[in-house]
Amino acid sequence: MTQDRRGGGRRSRLERGGSGIAQLPWQHVENPYPPMQLLDEERLERLHDTSMRILSELGIRVMSERVMDLFAAAGAIVDREDTTIRIDESLVTEALRAVPSSFTLTSRNPAKQVHLGGSSLVFGLVAGPPNVHDRINGRRQGNLPDYQNFIRLAHHFNAIHIIGNQVVAPMELPANSRHLDTYHANLTLSDLSFHCTAIGRARAMDGINMMAIARGISVQEMRASPGVTTIISINSPRLFDDAMAEGLIAMAEHGQPVTVTPFTLMGAMTPVTLAAALCQQNAEALFGVVLTQLVNPGTPVMYGAFTSNVDMKSGAPAFGTPENAKANIIAGQLARRYNLPYRTSNANASNVVDLQAAYETEMATWGAVLGGANLIYHAAGWLEGGLTASYEKLVLDVEILQNMMEFLRPLPFQEDDLGFEAIKSVPAGGHFFGAEHTMSRYTTAFYQPMLSNWQNHGAWQEAGGKDALERATELWQQALHDYEEPVMDAAIREELDAYVARRREEITANPEG
């Protein structure tokens, strides 16, 4: 049952026996390899120059008087009649000087800090779908019990480092206050940091305030030690709405990191060519970066990229495509040009958890990793082009992420790893199964999969002949069975509950607040 919450110890180490799920321990993931470069310096600069032309000649349309005031004060050309702001390169350059090249997010569990920037790599839970699916209960509208289960799974599976903005929307709850319920679940059912909803100032401030309560510190102290972040989406092409602007301003005022992410689909929200899409994406992202620094110089900002293409036959979004993988890599080059931490995604467009879901996710994941991503958003559970959060897909994705973590682990290269003496000890034509070199390492030599099955066909059939999808169903059920809620101080829990109750009353009395 999806609501199963029976007790059981949460496994913190990779287990190879017993009833626990074999998984890697919680760890800070580093990418030790140089990022891939798809564009040479000349082409990268041409892309940058075209982005500057977009900003200076075409501009970005905004729906916020406050944003227009900030840019006007900074010397930008503000046309209030058509609500368009045009900025030149000097304003961009000045803003980029103030942005830190990396930052740390601290959740209520300091041991689960995540570092964003440099060679670090952080994996996030799926965010935003209105629907949820599993093989037992089928596809259904998002709801709070399923939301809570996804938070339990995120807490249980060590490969997930951060919670996205509303893993699945609890549609049965009022839209103007459901963020209180999701923040509360994030903070009580896990000890991870999370992304605030930034649709308006109030939702962002609730996230900031509630994380401060959970950490037992003041909002002022959170300025120096951020605990939450947000995604600011640009309405491509070249439109910045009022609610997102207010959310960005609230986060920046309080020193909480902001990720500016244009959602650009080639052929729909941008021209059909990848080069044009990247120029537009870059211009829109840089506009948001400048805004954060006009509000509060030094605010941590991530360069966000979410560029893919549409199916030109139907207009439907496509993800995990070759174009998407290229965009992930080139966006990383742009982020490094501006010395900004980089966020992207590993999305897929499959309607079910099948081979397509796997190979599109794998393709996009490689593009993100080769591109030097610091945050892979929607990394676990995304299905149906982002319309559904899937229990089985989450398990499949955790396996993909763990494989990637092991791939990125530096190769041991001591004298014994080179194995000359081991090779010497086995005669030509022999085998290494019983060699001392093998026996001393056999339990730790290779990555042990959580989902994959390596039995031969006969043994697999004898064990029930279950495919990966069936095994994934069993794994998420077992994870919920084994889940153990992280301890929270009773006084902090009481304060958190009281905050939610008070804010719910305020929102009921004033729906706009």
Side-chain angles (χ1 to χ4, degrees):
M1 296 293 291
T2 58
Q3 310 311 317
D4 193 342
R5 292 186 55 191
R6 288 174 289 171
R10 177 170 178 264
R11 276 68 183 174
S12 60
R13 296 181 299 172
L14 178 62
E15 294 193 357
R16 292 173 167 78
S19 61
I21 295 173
Q23 64 167 315
L24 297 176
W26 169 272
Q27 58 191 277
H28 297 282
V29 181
E30 298 286 332
N31 184 347
Y33 307 116
M36 189 175 183
Q37 310 287 331
L38 278 186
L39 296 186
D40 59 24
E41 283 298 319
E42 179 187 354
R43 291 182 179 183
L44 194 67
E45 286 311 298
R46 288 179 64 189
L47 199 158
H48 167 80
D49 291 342
T50 304
S51 300
M52 293 303 104
R53 287 192 65 195
I54 293 170
L55 288 173
S56 63
E57 297 178 30
L58 306 179
I60 303 293
R61 188 182 173 206
V62 300
M63 300 172 69
S64 166
E65 287 289 337
R66 192 172 180 187
V67 170
M68 286 189 277
D69 291 343
L70 286 165
F71 275 96
I77 299 171
V78 178
D79 186 331
R80 294 183 185 269
E81 187 172 337
D82 68 3
T83 64
T84 298
I85 298 173
R86 295 172 177 84
I87 61 177
D88 61 24
E89 187 168 358
S90 64
L91 198 54
V92 175
T93 301
E94 184 65 26
L96 289 171
R97 289 196 186 104
V99 181
S101 60
S102 65
F103 61 90
T104 298
L105 275 180
T106 302
S107 64
R108 72 178 181 92
N109 181 355
K112 291 186 178 178
Q113 281 185 338
V114 292
H115 183 74
L116 293 152
S119 61
S120 64
L121 179 54
V122 172
F123 300 124
L125 189 60
V126 62
N131 304 301
V132 63
H133 178 271
D134 66 76
R135 290 179 66 249
I136 298 172
N137 302 302
R139 187 177 186 270
R140 55 201 179 274
Q141 196 172 66
N143 58 83
L144 186 60
D146 278 310
Y147 184 97
Q148 292 167 332
N149 271 344
F150 271 88
I151 301 306
R152 294 182 182 106
L153 292 173
H155 181 75
H156 185 85
F157 286 116
N158 296 323
I160 300 172
H161 302 122
I162 190 169
I163 296 169
N165 167 32
Q166 292 201 7
V167 181
V168 59
M171 303 294 282
E172 80 275 25
L173 301 179
N176 62 355
S177 64
R178 65 171 65 132
H179 65 282
L180 297 171
D181 301 278
T182 60
Y183 293 166
H184 189 272
N186 295 347
L187 290 166
T188 58
L189 301 178
S190 85
D191 56 7
L192 304 175
S193 189
F194 64 91
H195 284 236
C196 294
T197 299
I199 303 174
R201 182 179 184 87
R203 290 176 173 89
M205 288 307 305
D206 284 334
I208 294 169
N209 288 329
M210 289 174 70
M211 177 57 85
I213 291 169
R215 290 175 62 187
I217 63 175
S218 68
V219 170
Q220 183 62 33
E221 288 172 310
M222 277 253 291
R223 293 176 187 269
S225 176
V228 291
T229 183
T230 196
I231 301 285
I232 299 297
S233 298
I234 308 296
N235 295 326
S236 303
R238 298 185 297 116
L239 177 62
F240 201 92
D241 72 44
D242 186 40
M244 280 287 173
E246 287 302 315
L248 178 151
I249 290 169
M251 293 288 285
E253 285 177 344
H254 292 82
Q256 303 306 294
V258 170
T259 302
V260 184
T261 306
F263 179 30
T264 46
L265 292 175
M266 291 174 275
M269 288 97 108
T270 76
V272 74
T273 58
L274 179 55
L278 288 167
C279 290
Q280 182 184 309
Q281 170 197 278
N282 194 48
E284 293 171 350
L286 290 175
F287 181 87
V289 170
V290 172
L291 177 56
T292 64
Q293 302 311 298
L294 294 181
V295 174
N296 181 15
T299 295
V301 187
M302 295 194 77
Y303 183 101
F306 199 83
T307 291
S308 193
N309 54 287
V310 298
D311 173 16
M312 296 307 292
K313 296 176 183 177
S314 66
F319 302 105
T321 64
E323 294 80 10
N324 176 224
K326 288 180 182 178
N328 280 349
I329 293 170
I330 297 170
Q333 289 186 253
L334 288 164
R336 289 187 296 280
R337 186 198 184 281
Y338 306 123
N339 202 28
L340 295 172
Y342 171 41
R343 169 261 156 144
T344 188
S345 299
N346 62 345
N348 72 96
S350 183
N351 290 300
V352 294
V353 185
D354 60 359
L355 183 59
Q356 178 186 337
Y359 66 68
E360 288 181 351
T361 299
E362 191 79 37
M363 184 77 167
T365 302
W366 274 111
V369 172
L370 291 173
N374 299 119
L375 170 62
I376 301 183
Y377 204 56
H378 304 300
W382 167 292
L383 193 66
E384 201 186 329
L387 293 177
T388 295
S390 163
Y391 282 75
E392 282 81 18
K393 182 60 164 50
L394 183 148
V395 173
L396 172 68
D397 289 337
V398 169
E399 184 78 287
I400 289 173
L401 299 180
Q402 290 196 148
N403 272 275
M404 187 59 70
M405 289 161 66
E406 281 295 282
F407 174 80
L408 295 174
R409 188 165 59 90
L411 182 68
F413 225 71
Q414 300 300 315
E415 185 65 28
D416 199 38
D417 296 307
L418 295 171
F420 180 83
E421 292 301 323
I423 295 168
K424 178 181 175 182
S425 71
V426 174
H431 63 77
F432 289 87
F433 284 118
E436 189 280 329
H437 190 271
T438 302
M439 297 304 292
S440 65
R441 293 168 171 77
Y442 80 95
T443 60
T444 59
F446 309 120
Y447 169 69
Q448 295 297 303
M450 178 184 77
L451 178 62
S452 296
N453 184 297
W454 292 346
Q455 294 173 302
N456 63 40
H457 188 267
W460 170 74
Q461 274 195 319
E462 198 172 302
K466 297 172 184 175
D467 63 21
L469 190 55
E470 292 174 283
R471 297 194 299 272
T473 301
E474 292 180 350
L475 282 169
W476 67 254
Q477 289 179 294
Q478 183 177 347
L480 289 178
H481 174 277
D482 291 349
Y483 165 82
E484 185 174 283
E485 187 172 304
V487 175
M488 175 178 277
D489 181 84
I492 287 178
R493 177 64 180 259
E494 185 178 344
E495 185 178 356
L496 199 61
D497 292 347
Y499 180 91
V500 170
R502 176 175 60 79
R503 284 291 293 133
R504 202 186 307 278
E505 287 182 6
E506 292 172 353
I507 293 170
T508 300
N510 176 20
E512 298 302 317

